[in-house]
C-alpha cells in the first residue's frame, strides 16, 4: 500500500506539472491560433477594392444561367450590401419578360452577413481580452472562455445557415419591394437570402383569389420558402402563390468563412477535451 501511494503521488505530481503547462503555455498557443483563424474569417467580410483601400470590393454574381430558368439575375454584392440587382422574369403562360432593377439610390443590407460578421468580431474581442501575460488559474476559467467564444461562433454559423422565416404578408410589405424601378407589380414578390455559402433569389408569382371563391382559404405561416398554393390576405385582398422560382450561386468567401468557423469550433472543443481529461483525474478537486 505505501508503495502504491508513493507511485500515485509521483503520478499526481506529473499530472500537476502537465496541467500547469497546459494552463500556462498551451492555452495561449490555442488562443493565438484561434485569433489568427478568426482574423482571416473577419477579413473575408470586408475585402477592399484593389488600389482603393477605403472601398469594399464589388462582386457580380450571375443567378439562373440555364435555358430552363424563368428567372435570371445579376446581383452586385459589396460586403454585406446588395448594391445592385438586375432581374429578368419570364412570365408563365406568356412570352413576356419583365425586367426590374434596384433604383440608383437604393441598396439592400443582408442582415445575415452583418450579424455573422458581428458575432465573429465579438469572438475576437473575447479572445483578445486575455493576452499572453494573463495566467489562467483553473480549467473552469478556460472552459468558460471557450464556451463564450463557441457561442458567438455557433451564432455566426447559424446566421449563415438559417435564413429568416417570413410570412407572405411580411414579404409583400418588406422594404425590399420598394427598391425596384420600375416598381414591382402587385402579383410579383422577391426575397434575397443567404443559405450556407449561397446567395439565393426567390421570386413568387401570385394570383388574386376572387372574393366569392369557394376555395378553403387558409393563410400560410412563416417559412423560408413558400410553395405554390400558399395563401395570404393583404389589404382585404386574398392571394395565392401560383409559381415560385429560386436561383442561387455560390459566394466563395462565404464558403471560406464557414470553413474558418468550423476549424475554430474544433480548436475550442479540442482544448475543452484536454482539460476534461485532467478533470477526470481530479474528479474530487474542482478546477
Amino acid at each position: 500500500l505505501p508503495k502504491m501511494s508513493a507511485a500515485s503521488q509521483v503520478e499526481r505530481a506529473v499530472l500537476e506539472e502537465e496541467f500547469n503547462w497546459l494552463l500556462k503555455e498551451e492555452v495561449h498557443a490555442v488562443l493565438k491560433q484561434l485569433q489568427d483563424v478568426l482574423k482571416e474569417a473577419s477579413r473575408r467580410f470586408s475585402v477592399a477594392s484593389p488600389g482603393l483601400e477605403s472601398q469594399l470590393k464589388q462582386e457580380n454574381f450571375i443567378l439562373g444561367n440555364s435555358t430552363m430558368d424563368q428567372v435570371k439575375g445579376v446581383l452586385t454584392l459589396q460586403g454585406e450590401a446588395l448594391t445592385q440587382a438586375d432581374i429578368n422574369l419570364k412570365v408563365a403562360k406568356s412570352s413576356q419578360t419583365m425586367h426590374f432593377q434596384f433604383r440608383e439610390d437604393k441598396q439592400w443590407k443582408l442582415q445575415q452577413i452583418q450579424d455573422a460578421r458581428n458575432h465573429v468580431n465579438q469572438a475576437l474581442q473575447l479572445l483578445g481580452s486575455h493576452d499572453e501575460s494573463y495566467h489562467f488559474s483553473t480549467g473552469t476559467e478556460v472552459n468558460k472562455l471557450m464556451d463564450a467564444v463557441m457561442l458567438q461562433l455557433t451564432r455566426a454559423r447559424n446566421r449563415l445557415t438559417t435564413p429568416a422565416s417570413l410570412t407572405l404578408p411580411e414579404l409583400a410589405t418588406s422594404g425590399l419591394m420598394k427598391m425596384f424601378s420600375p416598381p414591382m407589380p402587385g402579383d410579383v414578390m422577391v426575397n434575397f437570402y443567404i443559405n450556407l455559402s449561397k446567395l439565393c433569389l426567390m421570386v413568387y408569382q401570385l394570383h388574386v383569389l376572387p372574393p366569392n371563391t369557394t376555395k378553403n382559404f387558409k393563410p400560410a405561416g412563416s417559412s423560408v420558402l413558400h410553395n405554390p398554393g400558399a395563401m395570404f390576405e393583404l389589404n382585404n385582398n386574398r392571394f395565392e402563390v401560383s409559381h415560385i422560382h429560386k436561383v442561387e450561386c455560390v459566394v466563395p468567401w462565404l464558403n471560406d468563412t464557414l470553413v474558418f468557423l468550423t476549424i475554430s469550433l474544433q480548436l475550442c472543443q479540442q482544448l475543452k477535451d484536454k482539460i476534461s481529461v485532467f478533470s477526470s483525474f481530479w474528479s474530487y478537486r474542482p478546477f
Side-chain angles (χ1 to χ4, degrees):
L1 252 167
K3 267 187 180 176
M4 273 184 70
S5 64
S8 65
Q9 275 179 338
V10 169
E11 186 188 21
R12 189 181 178 84
V14 169
L15 282 172
E16 287 265 12
E17 203 173 315
E18 282 185 14
F19 187 61
N20 285 332
W21 180 86
L22 177 83
L23 288 180
K24 195 165 176 251
E25 304 293 336
E26 190 163 358
V27 169
H28 282 294
V30 173
L31 296 190
K32 169 82 172 68
Q33 209 178 347
L34 275 168
Q35 280 180 300
D36 289 346
V37 174
L38 290 177
K39 276 176 188 164
E40 278 303 314
S42 181
R43 208 172 284 145
R44 291 298 188 279
F45 288 104
S46 50
V47 177
S49 293
L52 286 168
E53 296 311 309
S54 61
Q55 196 178 339
L56 288 181
K57 184 179 168 191
Q58 282 197 342
E59 300 169 284
N60 288 332
F61 295 99
I62 297 168
L63 288 79
N65 48 14
S66 92
T67 49
M68 299 297 290
D69 289 318
Q70 283 184 287
V71 169
K72 296 185 192 303
V74 179
L75 305 183
T76 306
L77 189 61
Q78 191 171 16
E80 68 211 19
L82 277 174
T83 54
Q84 185 50 267
D86 198 294
I87 300 169
N88 287 305
L89 166 65
K90 264 190 208 161
V91 183
K93 296 180 185 170
S94 87
S95 56
Q96 187 193 357
T97 299
M98 293 186 189
H99 177 246
F100 312 97
Q101 60 186 45
F102 278 179
R103 287 165 35 191
E104 289 291 318
D105 58 332
K106 295 283 185 187
Q107 51 174 253
W108 183 250
K109 277 265 194 302
L110 289 166
Q111 194 65 44
Q112 286 173 269
I113 294 181
Q114 195 172 14
D115 290 349
R117 187 190 64 184
N118 289 342
H119 288 305
V120 168
N121 289 339
Q122 281 174 316
L124 275 168
Q125 278 181 336
L126 285 164
L127 293 165
S129 63
H130 299 79
D131 66 13
E132 284 180 28
S133 63
Y134 183 84
H135 179 60
F136 289 92
S137 52
T138 65
T140 306
E141 192 185 3
V142 178
N143 277 342
K144 267 188 183 168
L145 176 61
M146 289 300 97
D147 286 342
V149 170
M150 287 173 88
L151 179 66
Q152 294 302 331
L153 299 180
T154 304
R155 283 176 175 169
R157 188 169 65 181
N158 288 351
R159 284 306 280 131
L160 297 176
T161 57
T162 317
S165 284
L166 295 168
T167 64
L168 288 161
E170 282 169 343
L171 270 177
T173 56
S174 91
L176 182 57
M177 296 300 291
K178 301 176 183 73
M179 304 258 309
F180 290 91
S181 170
M184 285 268 164
D187 60 353
V188 177
M189 299 194 305
V190 296
N191 191 23
F192 300 110
Y193 58 84
I194 300 295
N195 184 14
L196 290 162
S197 58
K198 288 178 179 165
L199 174 58
C200 306
L201 162 63
M202 286 291 313
V203 178
Y204 294 96
Q205 286 179 262
L206 314 169
H207 68 84
V208 181
L209 293 170
N212 57 353
T213 183
T214 52
K215 235 180 195 185
N216 281 339
F217 178 75
K218 187 170 177 280
S222 285
S223 182
V224 173
L225 180 108
H226 293 274
N227 291 316
M231 302 177 194
F232 70 102
E233 190 167 353
L234 188 68
N235 304 330
N236 297 323
N237 285 321
R238 289 178 168 185
F239 297 90
E240 182 178 29
V241 174
S242 56
H243 297 85
I244 65 163
H245 313 281
K246 181 183 176 188
V247 284
E248 58 189 27
C249 69
V250 170
V251 178
W253 61 264
L254 280 177
N255 199 41
D256 293 349
T257 303
L258 286 162
V259 171
F260 290 138
L261 291 174
T262 301
I263 292 168
S264 302
L265 282 161
Q266 284 170 347
L267 285 169
C268 292
Q269 190 57 52
Q270 283 163 2
L271 185 55
K272 287 185 69 173
D273 291 347
K274 280 184 183 175
I275 284 166
S276 75
V277 168
F278 286 99
S279 301
S280 60
F281 281 112
W282 278 281
S283 53
Y284 54 86
R285 179 191 151 191
F287 59 82

